[in-house]
Amino acid sequence: MSEKLSFVNPTANSPWGTYLSQVDRVVPYLGPLARWVETLKRPKRALIVDVPIEMDDGTIAHFEGYRVQHNMSRGPGKGGVRFHPDVTLEEVMALSAWMTIKTAAVNLPYGGAKGGIRVDPKKLSLQELEKITRRYTSEIGIIIGPHTDIPAPDVNTNGQIMAWMMDTYSMNVGGTATGVVTGKPLHLGGSLGRVKATGRGVFVTGREAARRLGMDLRGARIAVQGFGNVGSVAAELFAEAGAKIVAVQDHTGTIVNTNGLDLSKLIPIANKEGVIAFKGGDVVPNEAFWDTACDILIPAALEGQITAERAQKTTAKLVLEGANGPTVSSADDILAERGVLVVPDVICNAGGVTVSYFEWVQDFSSFFWDEDEINVRLDRIMMNALNQIWDTADKHKITLRTATYAVACERILMARQERGLYP
Ligand code: NAD
């Protein structure tokens, strides 16, 4: 944050700053709705909570947690919870804002929210992880709920953590409230297809973008940064379509194999020990990941990874943003100038929130769909959204990112205008 804490003064190169400049770029395409644009530059509500827990060694540790509800003009807040040592309020603000844009871009009846705790969960025991999750849930319990704000998994959170969140909220309200979180295990009202949904959405939008570029996926070389839920599932689906995964990077390092990495062997090892424990590729310095010869680049780790310098050196012709906010604004311009097509995060990784929506709907109706139905509906929603965004980009001769913002912001601001300002 800048010296004077304020929503509108972002720290240089921060994710919130990136988001604000993305909103500025869309203003010329908003027509009369532009008078409402300031509403997108401020979160509706930001809660900071202290999360104290007793550690296994008997000491008391305090962690800082956040829940930000960026915009609820179109429906309840929706967005994941991140456990990571670098989490800050400003980061959570940006992530919540990208959820607002994303849910509107795919036309789900939600606003945008996000949460996080500044903690390295890899250093916690299972018991400590459960305590921190439950205390955090209880603290943010005053603003979340099935009809107000529905958390989900994000970096370092998973179905087990969602189960603890659901249980804690349920205990506090005195009933079983399955609809308070999505990404739950199947027997607790989770949905088939949720775990793979974000990676699948990256694949569906990437396949369509490749088709429009005239790029054959068979033999296409792909580099993936971040090999967790999103990166590994997307990589698997592209490999099934005939592509070669030539480079993978995670928090342990980078491996490269120009003949293609064997994912059936790599994934189980990466899940346990990290990618550099895999022997079927060469370990290279992390910076070498960005100039590995490839056709498609999939950032699926954290924000701010594609810097101006890395945008200059990538050989990719297509960037699929599995992660949220992986490209800084200056890099976006360089990629556009170099003719590299970017499918932006706010559409590319919207598969997860789309199946979260299906989960929420199934929980309310207590009627569950089979996986084929989930995947068919997911593909249809993603393709409809992408085609509409593409038409907008062609019409105004703008990037897919600005076109996505144009479509999404129009929906959000129209809802804002129709609701009017209270009081
Ligand atoms: P995850 O925790 O399953 O995986 C994160 C991956 O990133 C891991 O492989 C980790 O090793 C790697 N990583 C962490 N720090 C790194 C670093 N400094 N350099 C390189 N790699 C690093 O998380 P995920 O759910 O796959 O989320 C990844 C991204 O996708 C995030 O930006 C998240 O916000 C976004 N996203 C996730 C979902 C979802 O449904 N899970 C939905 C939309 C967007």
Side-chain angles (χ1 to χ4, degrees):
M1 279 286 169
S2 57
E3 276 176 28
K4 279 190 188 147
L5 184 74
S6 158
F7 291 150
V8 287
N9 290 322
T11 308
N13 291 325
S14 69
W16 180 246
T18 300
Y19 164 74
L20 290 180
S21 67
Q22 289 164 346
V23 170
D24 283 338
R25 286 172 187 213
V26 84
V27 173
Y29 308 100
L30 293 178
L33 287 172
R35 71 183 279 254
W36 292 96
V37 79
E38 280 295 310
T39 195
L40 294 169
K41 294 187 173 184
R42 295 145 207 274
K44 173 182 175 60
R45 193 175 281 136
L47 181 65
I48 306 178
V49 294
D50 175 34
V51 185
I53 62 162
E54 185 176 358
M55 305 294 279
D56 293 347
D57 65 6
T59 57
I60 307 293
H62 289 257
F63 299 91
E64 199 163 301
Y66 311 95
R67 184 74 190 172
V68 178
Q69 296 170 341
H70 173 260
N71 190 288
M72 292 163 141
S73 296
R74 303 179 64 257
K78 187 87 193 80
V81 173
R82 177 174 294 195
F83 289 179
H84 195 277
D86 297 336
V87 164
T88 61
L89 175 60
E90 215 177 352
E91 179 188 49
V92 180
M93 280 161 53
L95 291 166
S96 70
W98 285 322
M99 288 307 300
T100 302
I101 303 295
K102 196 181 302 181
T103 56
V106 280
N107 214 0
L108 305 178
Y110 288 135
K114 202 87 179 188
I117 306 180
R118 190 177 313 135
V119 61
D120 185 352
K122 294 184 174 68
K123 295 190 176 143
L124 297 181
S125 68
L126 194 63
Q127 203 187 355
E128 290 165 344
L129 188 64
E130 179 173 351
K131 281 185 190 172
I132 202 172
T133 302
R134 286 187 181 278
R135 181 61 189 251
Y136 168 73
T137 307
S138 214
E139 292 296 336
I140 65 165
I142 53 173
I143 61 167
I144 63 168
H147 295 285
T148 46
D149 180 2
I150 306 112
D154 190 66
V155 174
N156 291 327
T157 55
N158 55 23
Q160 174 61 77
I161 289 173
M162 294 307 114
W164 290 328
M165 290 189 74
M166 187 276 259
D167 183 69
T168 307
Y169 181 85
S170 296
M171 291 295 117
N172 286 345
V173 297
T176 294
T178 52
V180 68
V181 289
T182 57
K184 299 179 295 295
L186 278 184
H187 42 275
L188 288 179
S191 176
L192 292 166
R194 173 62 184 88
V195 173
K196 295 196 166 190
T198 307
R200 176 174 289 278
V202 172
F203 172 70
V204 169
T205 53
R207 181 182 56 191
E208 174 63 9
R211 189 190 67 77
R212 288 181 182 242
L213 283 179
M215 182 193 289
D216 192 349
L217 281 185
R218 280 165 306 175
R221 298 159 304 169
I222 304 190
V224 185
Q225 188 207 29
F227 209 56
N229 176 278
V230 179
S232 68
V233 171
E236 260 183 321
L237 291 170
F238 277 109
E240 274 170 26
K244 281 194 296 188
I245 310 303
V246 293
V248 167
Q249 180 181 96
D250 73 359
H251 68 285
T252 63
T254 304
I255 51 166
V256 170
N257 185 336
T258 49
N259 296 319
L261 294 153
D262 181 346
L263 297 187
S264 63
K265 296 196 173 111
L266 169 60
I267 290 174
I269 294 174
N271 286 344
K272 269 198 202 141
E273 300 165 72
V275 298
I276 57 163
F278 179 62
K279 300 293 173 239
D282 299 323
V283 176
V284 300
N286 276 340
E287 203 48 40
F289 172 85
W290 301 100
D291 44 21
T292 305
C294 66
D295 304 299
I296 301 177
L297 173 64
I298 307 181
L302 300 169
E303 310 79 72
Q305 296 298 302
I306 305 185
T307 56
E309 196 192 332
R310 291 170 178 172
Q312 273 301 352
K313 60 185 180 188
T314 184
T315 57
K317 291 165 208 74
L318 177 59
V319 175
L320 305 176
E321 293 188 337
N324 285 307
T327 309
V328 305
S329 295
S330 56
D332 230 3
D333 295 338
I334 292 167
L335 291 171
E337 276 159 27
R338 294 189 57 221
V340 180
L341 182 69
V342 178
V343 182
D345 49 4
V346 279
I347 174 71
C348 191
N349 70 30
V353 71
T354 303
V355 177
S356 274
Y357 167 60
F358 297 161
E359 179 177 334
W360 185 71
V361 168
Q362 291 172 86
D363 285 340
F364 278 125
S365 59
S366 297
F367 179 75
F368 290 86
W369 313 344
D370 65 30
E371 192 157 2
D372 278 352
E373 182 162 6
I374 304 269
N375 289 341
V376 167
R377 285 177 186 267
L378 172 63
D379 285 22
R380 195 186 307 141
I381 287 183
M382 298 291 290
M383 286 298 294
N384 283 347
L386 186 65
N387 286 332
Q388 186 179 3
I389 287 160
W390 219 297
D391 289 347
T392 305
D394 285 348
K395 182 173 153 202
H396 295 296
K397 308 236 170 321
I398 52 181
T399 62
L400 285 183
R401 190 184 315 277
T402 303
T404 310
Y405 275 67
V407 169
C409 293
E410 189 183 328
R411 287 186 182 135
I412 302 158
L413 298 180
M414 185 60 86
R416 180 71 274 155
Q417 179 167 276
E418 283 168 352
R419 286 177 66 159
L421 271 187
Y422 173 86

